[in-house]
Amino acid sequence: MSKARQLADLGNVYDDGALSNRNMVTNGAMLVNQRGNRSPAGFTGGFYAGPDRWYVNRSGTGATGFSQISSTSYGGTKAAEASFLCASGETYIVTQRIEADNIAHLAGQTVTLSFWASGSSDAGSATLNASLSYAGAVNDFTSETVISSNAVSYSGSAQRFTFTFTLPANAANGVAIRFDGAKTSATGTFTLTFGGVQLEAGDTPTDLEHEPISVTLQKCRRYYQNVYNRGNATTGTYYSYYNKFYGNQVQFEPMRTGPTVSYSHIGGAFYWVNPGVAAYSANSTAGFSYSTHQTNAFSMGAIEFSQVRPAGGTTPSNFASYRLEANLIFHLDAEL
Amino acid sequence: MEHVVITQAVYVRGLPNIGQEVGEVYAIMIVVDGQELSVPLDPSNRHYAEIMRQVEAGELTIQEADA
């Protein structure tokens, strides 16, 4: 074979998507679970929990859970397990929203969705469909239009399913992968287990693309990340005019957009100290405030936090450095 | 984003620059399902979009921040 032929064949391999980055789904193998599992509990609103990037919603308020499980039956070593306690007629959905910039190049083209799934219902029956939809506006999934929907003939054992779609021009707004259905008789818990989800160009499903977990984690952090802020490494400053301490913590990865921030106080006291010196505030979370500052279009940013000094301890000096003696995890959410 | 019940919304101000009495508003602290969330003033943030939708619908009022 000539060198020219070899180069042409290599080019075809790339064009056919046989190399990496052909899967448009993030965390389709369910490897990353930054938020942790959500055990079945009463439902109060749609949520992100369990495997990253998957959003769970339903009608009704019955116990709903979403977890990462270990299994080698769903294309890899992990899978997602969703459970819905539903009355007859109630609906449920697990969906992943693909950002416009990551799918617009496939608008107007044929794509193939493949995944492994199994299901069971402890009473009555339940349906399951696999569909794609597009967002009503760029990255705005407030309203979605279903492109087409396919019934999934699940059983109690994991099977691989594949469906082909033609994406319309509006798919350039962003596309959602949807696993949805309804409880059709009796009240009971429907359990859906799925994994190895892949959406790729063309009409032929290929083997699930395996990528290093570090790559998947980096992709997921564009939408959600936890930042650990150990008390003995945090520095801040006291401004006497406002009677406040200020500090900041840099985030790991640039994010899709300015993230919503919350925090968990996972250990240690909660007061401001100087190294080796007694506290300069009372041990209290009162007056603690936090947000992010994003610096550019790629949302490089930092968490800025402050606290009105809870009275107690030694009086701090203006503009002096202090650290917050608290072990915190900041949760940054820039999901679609 | 689906409708969420926001029980409280307060503007958050940053550190004032020299010569300023108060800092710039750069976030909104909301309470959802008992959890405090700090939401940046970013239309692409899904929580901010929902806050603005509820404000425009007259369902939510954002309280002024402390200095």
Side-chain angles (χ1 to χ4, degrees):
Chain A
M1 184 183 293
S2 69
K3 281 290 179 191
R5 182 68 256 166
Q6 289 174 344
L7 286 171
D9 287 346
L10 182 61
N12 287 339
V13 166
Y14 186 82
D15 291 342
D16 292 345
L19 299 180
S20 60
N21 297 320
R22 66 184 186 281
N23 190 0
M24 301 298 111
V25 180
T26 304
N27 200 30
M30 312 298 173
L31 291 173
V32 175
N33 183 18
Q34 294 185 87
R35 296 176 183 83
N37 294 337
R38 185 188 197 272
S39 299
F43 182 81
T44 57
F47 62 82
Y48 283 98
D52 276 48
R53 302 263 28 241
W54 296 96
Y55 180 74
V56 178
N57 205 353
R58 59 167 293 171
S59 65
T61 59
T64 304
F66 191 59
S67 298
Q68 179 196 62
I69 64 168
S70 294
S71 174
T72 55
S73 299
Y74 298 85
T77 58
K78 303 290 184 184
E81 184 175 277
S83 63
F84 304 95
L85 172 59
C86 293
S88 180
E90 290 183 341
T91 61
Y92 40 80
I93 183 170
V94 182
T95 183
Q96 179 172 140
R97 295 158 175 170
I98 301 174
E99 195 174 349
D101 283 345
N102 288 336
I103 198 72
H105 66 292
L106 295 180
Q109 296 188 34
T110 299
V111 296
T112 296
L113 174 67
S114 57
F115 57 94
W116 281 262
S118 65
S120 64
S121 182
D122 64 5
S125 55
T127 62
L128 179 65
N129 306 296
S131 61
L132 298 183
S133 66
Y134 62 81
V138 173
N139 291 331
D140 182 354
F141 289 84
T142 305
S143 66
E144 298 178 30
T145 301
V146 173
I147 297 166
S148 68
S149 184
N150 303 274
V152 178
S153 54
Y154 66 85
S155 70
S157 301
Q159 305 171 66
R160 194 179 192 206
F161 299 90
T162 65
F163 300 103
T164 298
F165 304 81
T166 299
L167 296 181
N170 284 336
N173 287 342
V175 167
I177 296 166
R178 302 159 54 94
F179 300 109
D180 63 5
K183 199 76 174 54
T184 52
S185 66
T187 295
T189 297
F190 173 61
T191 302
L192 166 65
T193 308
F194 69 104
V197 186
Q198 181 156 283
L199 181 69
E200 59 192 310
D203 59 6
T204 305
T206 64
D207 289 346
L208 177 65
E209 178 183 351
H210 291 278
E211 67 183 7
I213 189 171
S214 59
V215 174
T216 307
L217 176 59
Q218 187 176 32
K219 290 179 178 178
C220 290
R221 281 177 169 165
R222 175 169 172 78
Y223 304 94
Y224 180 89
Q225 59 185 267
N226 289 322
V227 179
Y228 183 42
N229 192 340
R230 190 155 190 271
N232 65 3
T234 303
T235 59
T237 305
Y238 177 71
Y239 289 76
S240 61
Y241 183 82
Y242 305 104
N243 190 32
K244 276 188 173 181
F245 295 96
Y246 292 85
N248 70 78
Q249 174 72 44
V250 176
Q251 68 192 40
F252 284 118
E253 296 284 342
M255 302 190 77
R256 181 187 69 84
T257 192
T260 297
V261 185
S262 59
Y263 81 98
S264 302
H265 180 203
I266 60 169
F270 203 107
Y271 47 57
W272 293 82
V273 301
N274 240 346
V277 182
Y280 285 82
S281 69
N283 180 5
S284 171
T285 61
F288 187 61
S289 180
Y290 46 93
S291 186
T292 60
H293 278 274
Q294 307 295 315
T295 59
N296 56 35
F298 294 100
S299 289
M300 286 293 291
I303 305 153
E304 177 183 303
F305 51 89
S306 64
Q307 185 177 25
V308 178
R309 177 177 174 258
T314 306
T315 301
S317 301
N318 193 30
F319 300 136
S321 293
Y322 300 91
R323 60 183 173 85
L324 178 59
E325 179 79 8
N327 296 337
L328 307 178
I329 296 178
F330 287 104
H331 313 288
L332 280 60
D333 182 347
E335 268 291 358
L336 288 161
Chain B
M1 184 185 181
E2 289 70 18
H3 182 83
V4 294
V5 178
I6 301 172
T7 53
Q8 187 179 0
V10 181
Y11 286 115
V12 178
R13 292 185 183 278
L15 178 64
N17 291 322
I18 293 173
Q20 292 181 329
E21 283 296 310
V22 295
E24 176 186 1
V25 170
Y26 64 88
I28 302 170
M29 188 72 76
I30 62 173
V31 178
V32 177
D33 209 11
Q35 184 179 25
E36 287 190 342
L37 304 175
S38 176
V39 181
L41 309 181
D42 185 336
S44 296
N45 179 291
R46 74 184 197 283
H47 294 112
Y48 181 76
E50 174 64 10
I51 290 169
M52 290 299 102
R53 189 198 67 74
Q54 293 193 22
V55 168
E56 290 169 11
E59 301 168 1
L60 179 68
T61 301
I62 306 173
Q63 299 170 10
E64 185 50 59
D66 294 332

